[in-house]
Amino acid sequence: MSNPHAVVSGAGIAGLSAAYWLRSTGWEVTVIERAPAFRDGGQNVDVRGVAREVLDRMGLFDAVKALNTTETAAVFVDERGEVTVELPSDGPDGATAELEILRGDFARAVLDHLPDGVEMVYGDTIGGTAEDEDSITVTTAAGRVLRADLVVIAEGVRSATRDRLFDGLVDRRPLGINMVFGTIPRTDSDDDRWRWYSTVGGRQVHLRPDKHGTTRAILAYAHAEDLAPLDRDRALARVRARYAGAGWETERVLDGFDASEDVYVDGLTQIRMPTWHRGRVCLVGDAAWCVTPMGGGGASLALTSGYVLAAGLAGRPDTEAALTAYESWMRPLVDSVQKLPPGVVRLAYPRTRLGLALRTLVMRGLTSSLLTPVTARLTRVADSDRPLPPIA
C-alpha cells in the first residue's frame, strides 16, 4: 500500500508546519506556492504558549532563538521620543517574547528543516478540485494534475481557494484598522526596543529592530476604509494624507515606505468559520481563523495547527474523524485568542488628546507593580492547559 498523499497550498508558517508534520508521519507531501520563489521578508512574529513545545519537538527551538530580532523591550513614546510607559518583557511570553523573530526568518527555518521528500512547487495555484469516494484530484493553474488523499489550504486570510471550496461559510469581520508594514533604513537613533507612538486621530507609528541592519516599521490607524484592495501607490498616498502632521518619526517612515521593496498593506479582518474542513479539504492558519495582530499569536497558532492536524490524522483511517479531532483540539485555543476584550480598539487607537491621556494612565496602571501579574497574563496567548495530542 502506498503512502497517503497531501497537497498543501501555501508555503507560509502554517503550510510548512503541516508539510513538516505530515511528512514526518509518513505522508507524501506536495506544497504549492503561488509566489515564484520562497518569500522572505515580513515583520516580527513570535512563538508563544504551546507553540514553544511544538517548536521543541521539531528540534528547532535553538535555531529560532538564534534568529532573534535583537529586540529587548517594548515602550510607548511621546512626540519627542521620550518613554511614557514600558511594557513588561520578563519571561518567555512578555511583550517582547523570548522567541521574537521575523516572519520570513521563521518560515525559512522551517523550510530548511523539512524532511526529505517534500515536493515544493512555486509559481502555481490550485485551479480546481474534484473529489470522489477514495481521493481528491487537484488541477493547478499551470496544468498539473495531482491525485491526493487530503488538500490543506494554508493561503492566509484572503485565501481564494478557501472562498471557492467553503462558499457561504466564511464570516469576515473587519476591525476597521489599516496596517502598513515595511522595512526602512536603520539610523543612529534606532535602538533595540520596540517603540510605539500614538497620536490623535487613532494613528500609531511603530519602529522595531531586526538582525539584518534595517528597521521594521508599521503605520496603523483605525476608523478608516480598507486599503487592502488598493494598489501600492494609491494606498501609500492615502496613508500619507492621513498621517499629515502626526509627528515623531512619521515622515521618515513614509519616505522609507516610498523606497521600500517589501511594503505590505492590510485591512485587519478576522476570519470565523463554523467548520475548518469539508470532505478531504481542510484549513489551517489564517485561512481558517485569522486572529489579526490585535489578537496576537497568529504565528504560534499557525505552527501548532500543522502539528495538531498530523496528530489527528495519525492512526485514523477515517478522514472525517481525523479532521474532526484536529478541529476539536484547535478550536478552544483559537477561540481564546480570537475573542478581543471589549473596547480594545478604542483603547489602542485613541482619537483625541483626552483619549491619549486616559490610555497612558490605563497603561501606567497596568504596568504598575501591583498589576504586573495581570498584565503578564494578557501576553500569554496561544497557551493551553491541555497536553498536545500524541502523534502515533
Side-chain angles (χ1 to χ4, degrees), residues 357-375:
L358 290 174
R359 200 277 300 272
T360 299
L361 288 175
V362 170
M363 296 309 300
R364 284 176 176 167
L366 288 173
T367 55
S368 67
S369 58
L370 181 64
L371 293 179
T372 294
V374 176
T375 307

Side-chain angles (χ1 to χ4, degrees), residues 67-382:
L67 293 170
N68 191 282
T69 61
T70 73
E71 183 178 295
T72 61
V75 296
F76 288 86
V77 300
D78 61 19
E79 64 274 8
R80 299 181 303 277
E82 300 294 329
V83 175
T84 58
V85 178
E86 180 167 355
L87 299 177
S89 293
D90 298 332
D93 290 327
T96 291
E98 177 188 15
L99 299 178
E100 196 83 33
I101 184 171
L102 296 177
R103 186 215 64 82
D105 290 348
F106 190 10
R108 172 69 74 179
V110 179
L111 176 72
D112 291 345
H113 195 61
L114 289 178
D116 291 341
V118 175
E119 181 186 11
M120 301 295 298
V121 177
Y122 291 101
D124 206 354
T125 59
I126 291 179
T129 60
E131 189 168 343
D132 57 34
E133 184 177 348
D134 299 320
S135 65
I136 183 168
T137 300
V138 175
T139 303
T140 74
R144 293 180 176 85
V145 178
L146 304 170
R147 186 180 174 91
D149 299 274
L150 180 70
V151 173
V152 181
I153 307 302
E155 298 174 354
V157 61
R158 290 180 173 79
S159 169
T161 311
R162 173 205 60 207
D163 291 350
R164 288 198 308 270
L165 298 181
F166 291 80
D167 184 37
L169 297 178
V170 184
D171 178 10
R172 296 172 180 80
R173 300 193 182 184
L175 300 184
I177 298 167
N178 285 317
M179 281 192 168
V180 187
F181 307 86
T183 305
I184 64 175
R186 185 175 176 86
T187 67
D188 291 340
S189 65
D190 292 333
D191 55 28
D192 59 2
R193 301 172 301 173
W194 170 11
R195 292 178 291 162
W196 176 337
Y197 168 70
S198 294
T199 188
V200 294
R203 297 172 293 179
Q204 298 177 357
V205 181
H206 301 256
L207 295 176
R208 308 185 74 171
D210 65 26
K211 66 183 282 93
H212 302 293
T214 50
T215 294
R216 306 291 158 146
I218 306 170
L219 298 178
Y221 63 96
H223 317 291
E225 81 286 6
D226 184 359
L227 296 181
L230 303 181
D231 62 44
R232 170 193 164 119
D233 290 344
R234 291 174 63 202
L236 288 182
R238 297 274 183 91
V239 172
R240 185 175 285 275
R242 182 66 182 254
Y243 273 79
W248 192 49
E249 300 270 5
T250 298
E251 288 301 317
R252 170 198 169 193
V253 173
L254 288 167
D255 291 344
F257 282 177
D258 284 342
S260 177
E261 296 181 355
D262 70 343
V263 170
Y264 173 68
V265 179
D266 189 24
L268 300 193
T269 303
Q270 286 192 343
I271 297 296
R272 302 197 181 203
M273 301 184 64
T275 181
W276 300 327
H277 73 278
R278 175 178 274 181
R280 293 181 178 272
V281 180
C282 72
L283 305 169
V284 295
D286 282 354
W289 55 65
C290 183
V291 295
T292 77
M294 288 295 295
S300 296
L301 293 174
L303 187 76
T304 303
S305 67
Y307 173 91
V308 176
L309 174 63
L313 290 161
R316 287 188 177 92
D318 181 352
T319 302
E320 174 65 25
L323 297 182
T324 297
Y326 152 69
E327 283 202 31
S328 296
W329 200 95
M330 282 298 302
R331 194 168 286 276
L333 191 65
V334 170
D335 288 347
S336 69
V337 179
Q338 199 168 53
K339 185 177 181 181
L340 300 177
V344 68
V345 173
R346 183 174 293 275
L347 176 65
Y349 294 88
R351 303 187 70 176
T352 65
R353 292 288 178 193
L354 177 59
L356 284 169
L358 290 174
R359 200 277 300 272
T360 299
L361 288 175
V362 170
M363 296 309 300
R364 284 176 176 167
L366 288 173
T367 55
S368 67
S369 58
L370 181 64
L371 293 179
T372 294
V374 176
T375 307
R377 286 198 294 271
L378 297 176
T379 59
R380 287 206 303 268
V381 299

